[in-house]
């Protein structure tokens, strides 16, 4: 399987694997309903709308195809019901509706009723990178969930990203562990963690993947910058994924590629029993459909 290079290709691949049952938790949310309707139309999703039926129907007014083809699950506690349905295998993907991200995540992390697998949950974002001349997908993690991951958590974040990239057809993902410089320095703890992760990579702890670091942004993505600095390893200048030191760095970088760089994006929370989609209100309709496509492809592993 060749690597997916663009969102157009991602949607094609998802369409071949889909449609998957996407449970929209507290579905009385026009933004989530719009994404579900688009994904239904494109053959990616069979929406399962969970929540107050009257509110869902009024929020979906005018979305005739959605109201005709989606299943509506009328319940009082949509969060509990959505998580239970995912646990029972009745939906393949969860999409956040009219509730806060942390409310959904707390239900997902519930020790008895939740969707824990024993793994760390982390957010993986992908965008279309054009710095190499062509278009290719590059991942950023974790700008959505883990606030200040320690070394062990960063290891899990790397493993989660590798799993997502493999689903996208990257046979040997190139993982750059990011900091502000390629020099290892006690004064900058993220460089020490990056070096430790690279050492684990050297020992084969990440399987079929190249894990190197620390990298500054230019050295990770631009061959010319890596060459200028004399950085020679399989990841330098051609990273498939940037593992950032903190949620702040990841969130800023994700929003920079989107709003400053103008790329479409998609992101998915991985590590739970099903892929979880937590798009924000301001993300474009395209980004939300991309996220559903990513959930479909990742969920098919
Ligand atoms: N993966 C697996 N288990 C976890 C994770 C995780 N990422 N985070 C917490 N847990 C488990 C813990 O082991 C513990 O058993 C339980 O959940 C509670 O842990 P807390 O108290 O450390 O975490 P919470 O409940 O306060 O919050 C967990 C969130 C994921 C909700 C929290 O980390 C969070 O709000 N993250 C930031 C989300 C955010 O604001 N994003 C904004 C940018 S989009």
């Amino acid at each position: 399987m060749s690597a997916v290079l663009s969102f157009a290709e991602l949607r094609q691949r998802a369409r071949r694997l889909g449609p998957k049952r996407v449970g929209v938790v507290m579905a009385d949310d026009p933004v989530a309903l719009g994404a579900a309707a688009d994904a239904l139309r494109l053959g990616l999703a069979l929406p399962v709308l969970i929540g107050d039926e009257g509110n869902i129907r009024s929020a979906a007014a005018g979305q005739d195809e959605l109201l005709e083809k989606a299943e509506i699950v009328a319940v009082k506690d949509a969060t509990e019901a959505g998580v239970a349905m995912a646990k029972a295998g009745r939906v393949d993907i969860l999409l956040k509706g009219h509730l806060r991200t942390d409310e959904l995540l707390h239900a997902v992390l519930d020790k008895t009723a939740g969707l824990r697998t024993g793994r760390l949950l982390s957010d993986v974002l992908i965008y279309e990178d054009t710095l190499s001349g062509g278009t290719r997908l590059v991942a950023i993690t974790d700008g959505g969930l883990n606030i200040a991951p320690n070394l062990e958590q960063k290891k899990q974040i790397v493993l989660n990203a590798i799993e997502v990239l493999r689903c996208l057809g990257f046979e040997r993902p190139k993982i750059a562990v990011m900091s502000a410089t390629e020099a290892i320095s006690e004064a900058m703890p993220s460089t020490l963690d990056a070096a430790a992760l690279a050492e684990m990579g050297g020992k084969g702890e990440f399987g079929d993947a190249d894990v190197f670091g620390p990298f500054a942004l230019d050295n990770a993505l631009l061959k010319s910058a890596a060459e200028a600095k004399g950085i020679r390893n399989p990841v330098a200048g051609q990273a498939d994924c940037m593992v950032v030191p903190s949620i702040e760095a990841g969130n800023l970088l994700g929003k920079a590629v989107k709003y400053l760089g103008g790329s479409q994006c998609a992101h998915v929370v991985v590590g739970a029993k099903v892929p979880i989609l937590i798009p924000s209100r301001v993300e474009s309709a395209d980004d939300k459909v991309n996220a559903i496509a990513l959930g479909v492809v990742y969920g098919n592993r």
Side-chain angles (χ1 to χ4, degrees):
M1 178 175 69
S2 57
V4 176
L5 293 175
S6 67
F7 285 114
E9 283 184 23
L10 178 70
R11 288 180 184 207
Q12 277 168 16
R13 195 161 292 187
R15 190 182 237 155
R16 285 201 296 274
L17 299 170
K20 296 286 180 196
R21 292 158 304 171
V22 176
V24 187
V25 178
M26 287 193 77
D28 56 315
D29 177 73
V31 175
L33 287 168
D38 289 346
L40 170 69
R41 203 173 309 115
L42 291 167
L44 306 176
L46 294 171
V48 179
L49 309 178
I50 307 163
D52 181 287
E53 183 164 4
N55 291 347
I56 292 171
R57 288 194 179 279
S58 63
Q63 309 255 31
D64 295 342
E65 189 187 4
L66 180 66
L67 285 171
E68 188 190 317
K69 295 189 176 155
E71 180 188 352
I72 298 185
V73 177
V75 284
K76 268 214 164 70
D77 190 333
T79 315
E80 192 184 281
V83 169
M85 287 177 78
K87 197 171 178 121
R90 289 186 55 211
V91 294
D92 306 304
I93 295 169
L94 284 181
L95 171 65
K96 177 175 81 88
H98 190 187
L99 75 167
R100 292 198 321 268
T101 299
D102 63 315
E103 291 173 323
L104 179 57
L105 291 174
H106 279 133
V108 166
L109 287 171
D110 186 278
K111 281 197 174 117
T112 45
L115 300 172
R116 288 181 184 234
T117 60
R119 290 168 51 185
L120 186 83
L121 270 61
S122 58
D123 186 78
V124 180
L125 176 144
I126 52 174
Y127 73 98
E128 283 178 348
D129 188 277
T130 52
L131 289 173
S132 56
T135 297
R136 67 188 190 104
L137 293 180
V138 172
I140 298 170
T141 187
D142 171 358
L145 224 83
N146 294 286
I147 294 168
N150 60 28
L151 181 59
E152 179 51 35
Q153 289 168 325
K154 285 180 183 172
K155 182 177 181 187
Q156 296 291 316
I157 287 170
V158 171
L159 287 166
N160 283 350
I162 290 171
E163 185 183 58
V164 172
L165 288 164
R166 289 244 169 79
C167 292
L168 295 173
F170 293 73
E171 281 178 12
R172 190 174 173 87
K174 299 192 232 347
I175 311 292
V177 189
M178 304 301 291
S179 184
T181 169
E182 68 286 354
I184 299 166
S185 156
E186 295 274 343
M188 209 183 291
S190 60
T191 64
L192 302 177
D193 281 357
L197 290 163
E199 198 179 322
M200 291 178 205
K203 289 183 189 153
E205 291 182 32
F206 296 109
D208 223 357
D210 290 308
V211 180
F212 282 87
F215 281 104
L217 184 80
D218 46 356
N219 306 328
L221 293 179
L222 282 167
K223 277 192 177 164
S224 56
E227 279 163 17
K229 289 267 180 157
I231 305 170
R232 280 183 206 90
N233 63 56
V235 178
Q238 48 183 347
D240 299 318
C241 175
M242 293 182 280
V243 177
V244 297
S246 69
I247 196 170
E248 293 92 334
N251 206 271
L252 283 163
L253 186 54
K255 285 178 178 153
V257 297
K258 182 172 171 48
Y259 296 109
L260 307 180
S263 173
Q264 287 187 24
C265 289
H267 63 115
V268 60
V269 173
V270 301
K273 189 161 188 288
V274 301
I276 298 165
L277 308 178
I278 51 169
S280 83
R281 205 144 286 278
V282 290
E283 282 173 35
S284 68
D286 271 338
D287 286 354
K288 290 182 181 103
V289 173
N290 291 338
I292 293 173
L294 179 59
V296 169
V297 172
Y298 171 73
N300 196 62
R301 71 199 177 281

